[in-house]
Amino acid sequence: MTRVAELIEAELARTAEAVLAEGGELERAGAVQLVRFGPAFIAAEVGGGRERVELQVVDGALKWYCTCDAGRQGAFCTHCVATAQSVRRRTDKNASCGVPSETASDSTVRIAS
């Protein structure tokens, strides 16, 4: 099964530098709250819940949605970038703690309500 974490790197590589910088600032400021976290679906609230982001694997490809204007028009916006970087940080942290990816559950975990 293809996982969100495997696909976000390619999307980040295609994203404009200004969007990457703004998204990085949001993530470093702690503006991302992961609400659901699973291998094929991630939901987050960004900026105190002002925006909602969903990252999902559909037919082996990364699909995303954000409630901001740019996101509703299909852009991989700053909120998507911030969420992707938060996912990357979380998965990197798990890897550095010795948690093998194959032991990760295929179910989605609700982190917050």
Side-chain angles (χ1 to χ4, degrees), residues 1-4 6-7 40 56-63:
M1 171 203 319
T2 304
R3 299 171 185 266
V4 170
E6 297 168 3
L7 299 173
Q56 183 174 359
V57 177
V58 177
D59 296 328
L62 181 66
K63 303 294 181 187

Side-chain angles (χ1 to χ4, degrees), residues 36-50:
R36 294 183 72 94
F37 189 92
F41 180 81
I42 293 166
E45 292 178 349
V46 182
R50 286 190 306 262

Side-chain angles (χ1 to χ4, degrees), residues 21-93:
E22 288 180 42
E25 288 175 27
L26 283 171
E27 198 277 327
R28 284 187 299 279
V32 178
Q33 165 126 20
L34 297 175
V35 178
R36 294 183 72 94
F37 189 92
F41 180 81
I42 293 166
E45 292 178 349
V46 182
R50 286 190 306 262
E51 306 300 344
R52 179 161 173 88
V53 172
E54 294 180 359
L55 304 176
Q56 183 174 359
V57 177
V58 177
D59 296 328
L62 181 66
K63 303 294 181 187
W64 58 86
Y65 173 78
C66 181
T67 56
C68 77
D69 290 338
R72 286 194 309 257
Q73 294 175 13
F76 198 72
C77 65
T78 59
H79 309 104
C80 289
V81 168
T83 301
Q85 290 179 345
S86 184
V87 168
R88 179 171 52 189
R89 183 177 45 79
R90 181 181 174 123
T91 55
D92 287 350
K93 180 180 173 185

